[in-house]
Amino acid sequence: MNSSTSAGLYPLQNAHGSGLESSSQFSLKKSLPIKKNDAEMLTRRDIQFDLLDAIFSDTTKVFTDQMPGNATKKISFSELYINALYQSHKCSKVLKDKMKETPAFAVELGKISLLANVGRINTTMAFFPEMRTALRTYHPVPSLQKTDGNLQDAPRIKNCLKAALLPSEQRKSPPASLADVLEKLRVGAKPPTSIVNLIFIMANQTTLLARSHFDPPLDFLDLFMPVNIPSSQRARAFLWLVYHYLEDPTSSSPASPSTNPFADDYSRAHPGKIPWLPRLSSEDMRRQGENEDPEEEVEWGNRMCAQRTSFLQRLVTTNEVEKKNKGAFTSQQVLELAPRRPRAPRQVYKGDDKEGFRHYAPQTAGCGSFPSVARNSPRPTPASEAAPPQPQPRHRTMFEHAFHIVSTTDPLAESDDEYDDQVRVDYGQRLRVLNRLRGRSPTPPPRRSVAERRNPVRNRWDPYSRARKRKIF
């Protein structure tokens, strides 16, 4: 088949002019990562669900098993990719057990991981509604969350992918370019690298891939974008590339017929080119009925978005309350830290303009008071003039006691002359509060020097040390 015939069979433009529409679509600057606000669900069109389903549902067993000891076994792409995730040393035991127990969850994890592998899912996304950090945004994925497993968040998925290497690549650096991969195949290393690392390389060297295997203006990343190309054809082109670089690059050699199991007539007629990717109009794509969200998935996604919004509102309210109450001690909290004890009534100063200033005299009947000591006391009071016994005053709170001191105490008086037990009790309570707030005694022992801490015995002064060292003749 010559080039003119093939051009007639595979035109770049159809009768409806969809080729021109597609050309302008692909020539625009692509924004590869999916951009969504927090609590917005990822639809089937966002993740290109039909493309992922076509890739992981392909049962062609032509890929070499990369698990140790199975070098001669051939498996499908789905098994190859899920096994690579399972063998990653960053894959937790809980995740491995869930992948074993629920194969459907393993497939869902493989699909979301492939999107992260090519860069469609960036590390700011998470799939758990109660996520608190502000560094990531929550997005339900109804089409990939039909099991009860946790899809993890994008950073954990990315770490798992980066650690999905062959045993030989864990001891030395893996290939970093397509040339390195082909060189390892040339010397007989098969597989040349892990499937995850190969996809990382192809996503990084998309321009080189486009020049070698694609017709302009397409490139490798267009396979995962919402473009007007059927999902089944894009999945076939992707699997063709994986087989070409992972199994046999000579399968598409011009010197011999193509042996790539994913080749079509176009790729056989044009060695080194991927299978034909038909460009359709937007209306033709709508008639295809691809990536349409079922009603139950839309309802579940809206319900999860509402749950996320409600969680954020509660979180904001809680943070505001915590900020207002941060560092504030209520009187009740202080009293709980320092329990009450019976207190003696505090004595007040008795001033008399005729006799001049004199210190107060402690009461003799006070609860817990010291024995009365008369200082500059006036004439004895007759028994007939003695005041009747007063009722026992109630115990004051810490706030009431402080107010009482400020109102009744002379600040110029000598505090050492106050024989009031209630003052001593108050000081003890304050000290206990300080101890609890600081978490240690208010007067720690003096710190020793570094030399003393290293050798305390050696640095101790001994008055007889020199006498012992003297020689006695």
Side-chain angles (χ1 to χ4, degrees):
M1 181 180 296
N2 55 32
S3 60
S4 61
T5 306
S6 62
L9 286 176
Y10 305 99
L12 294 178
Q13 179 172 313
N14 57 22
H16 299 286
S18 61
L20 181 61
E21 178 185 353
S22 300
S23 178
S24 61
Q25 177 187 8
F26 298 123
S27 62
L28 295 175
K29 179 68 176 178
K30 291 187 289 293
S31 178
L32 183 61
I34 300 174
K35 301 293 185 180
K36 289 280 186 176
N37 295 326
D38 191 274
E40 284 191 57
M41 72 175 179
L42 302 185
T43 64
R44 290 195 174 204
R45 187 176 187 275
D46 292 330
I47 65 173
Q48 292 295 291
F49 176 81
D50 287 348
L51 167 69
L52 299 175
D53 191 59
I55 292 175
F56 280 85
S57 62
D58 187 89
T59 58
T60 308
K61 297 186 177 184
V62 292
F63 299 101
T64 303
D65 192 353
Q66 297 183 351
M67 295 185 69
N70 296 338
T72 60
K73 184 180 178 181
K74 298 295 181 180
I75 56 178
S76 64
F77 175 84
S78 177
E79 296 170 319
L80 178 69
Y81 198 81
I82 293 173
N83 288 346
L85 295 178
Y86 187 85
Q87 291 297 317
S88 172
H89 67 269
K90 287 298 180 74
C91 184
S92 65
K93 183 180 183 301
V94 175
L95 195 59
K96 289 182 178 181
D97 293 342
K98 188 62 181 178
M99 293 172 70
K100 274 186 175 182
E101 294 170 2
T102 312
F105 169 74
V107 175
E108 290 178 350
L109 181 63
K111 291 177 180 179
I112 200 76
S113 299
L114 180 58
L115 292 178
N117 208 164
V118 299
R120 284 289 282 160
I121 297 291
N122 59 23
T123 54
T124 62
M125 289 188 174
F127 312 106
F128 184 66
E130 279 78 22
M131 185 250 326
R132 290 174 174 266
T133 177
L135 302 178
R136 288 186 277 280
T137 54
Y138 166 72
H139 305 280
V141 192
S143 57
L144 297 182
Q145 289 182 296
K146 295 187 176 182
T147 60
D148 59 348
N150 183 8
L151 277 184
Q152 309 295 306
D153 54 8
R156 286 184 175 86
I157 293 176
K158 201 68 174 287
N159 289 337
C160 183
L161 290 172
K162 289 181 178 180
L165 301 173
L166 297 178
S168 59
E169 295 174 340
Q170 296 177 1
R171 296 186 294 269
K172 56 183 179 180
S173 59
S177 65
L178 293 174
D180 295 341
V181 174
L182 294 177
E183 177 62 23
K184 294 194 72 174
L185 279 174
R186 189 185 65 81
V187 299
K190 192 173 181 179
T193 186
S194 69
I195 177 61
V196 173
N197 187 52
L198 175 64
I199 295 175
F200 273 134
I201 294 174
M202 290 195 292
N204 290 333
Q205 297 191 334
T206 180
T207 304
L208 180 60
L209 278 177
R211 192 162 52 243
S212 304
H213 305 292
F214 287 80
D215 293 325
L218 295 175
D219 60 29
F220 174 74
L221 297 178
D222 285 318
L223 300 178
F224 296 89
M225 302 293 290
V227 295
N228 294 340
I229 299 176
S231 299
S232 59
Q233 302 297 325
R234 285 182 283 156
R236 185 173 187 173
F238 171 77
L239 294 173
W240 185 95
L241 285 170
V242 172
Y243 183 87
H244 178 82
Y245 284 98
L246 206 58
E247 297 293 332
D248 188 9
T250 63
S251 60
S252 303
S253 173
S256 59
S258 175
T259 57
N260 193 314
F262 303 101
D264 65 351
D265 293 339
Y266 180 79
S267 59
R268 294 188 188 98
H270 299 80
K273 294 293 183 180
I274 61 173
W276 174 248
L277 298 176
R279 286 74 156 174
L280 304 180
S281 64
S282 299
E283 184 155 347
D284 291 338
M285 286 298 296
R286 281 194 295 271
R287 282 197 291 266
Q288 294 274 340
E290 290 187 355
N291 300 313
E292 294 182 355
D293 298 290
E295 185 177 352
E296 60 272 12
E297 291 184 6
V298 176
E299 292 178 357
W300 184 86
N302 292 335
R303 188 166 62 252
M304 296 304 295
C305 290
Q307 179 180 339
R308 171 64 175 175
T309 303
S310 176
F311 172 77
L312 290 178
Q313 291 174 351
R314 294 195 308 270
L315 185 63
V316 170
T317 304
T318 304
N319 290 340
E320 290 178 354
V321 173
E322 289 178 353
K323 287 181 180 179
K324 290 181 180 179
N325 298 334
K326 184 177 181 180
F329 268 91
T330 63
S331 59
Q332 185 64 27
Q333 290 174 323
V334 174
L335 291 176
E336 289 176 358
L337 292 175
R340 298 180 182 178
R341 289 187 180 181
R343 301 173 182 173
R346 178 169 177 79
Q347 305 301 316
V348 298
Y349 290 105
K350 299 177 181 179
D352 191 346
D353 295 336
K354 295 181 180 180
E355 300 180 0
F357 176 81
R358 59 189 174 85
H359 291 286
Y360 70 93
Q363 296 178 359
T364 57
C367 176
S369 61
F370 289 102
S372 61
V373 179
R375 299 188 181 185
N376 300 328
S377 59
R379 65 185 185 277
T381 304
S384 59
E385 299 179 7
Q390 298 294 331
Q392 184 70 23
R394 70 176 183 87
H395 299 295
R396 305 188 195 101
T397 63
M398 293 183 70
F399 177 76
E400 291 173 344
H401 182 67
F403 183 77
H404 177 76
I405 293 176
V406 172
S407 303
T408 60
T409 305
D410 184 359
L412 299 179
E414 180 63 40
S415 60
D416 292 338
D417 295 333
E418 298 178 1
Y419 296 100
D420 188 3
D421 193 36
Q422 188 167 351
V423 177
R424 188 167 60 255
V425 172
D426 179 63
Y427 287 159
Q429 287 183 340
R430 293 171 183 267
L431 186 60
R432 284 193 296 275
V433 172
L434 290 175
N435 290 348
R436 295 195 181 200
L437 293 178
R438 296 180 73 241
R440 58 177 179 174
S441 175
T443 54
R447 299 186 61 182
R448 295 180 299 174
S449 64
V450 178
E452 290 175 344
R453 288 199 301 269
R454 289 179 179 174
N455 194 351
V457 178
R458 179 180 179 183
N459 291 278
R460 189 179 301 166
W461 182 76
D462 185 1
Y464 303 101
S465 58
R466 294 182 177 274
R468 293 194 194 101
K469 294 180 181 178
R470 295 176 183 174
K471 296 181 179 179
I472 301 176
F473 299 97

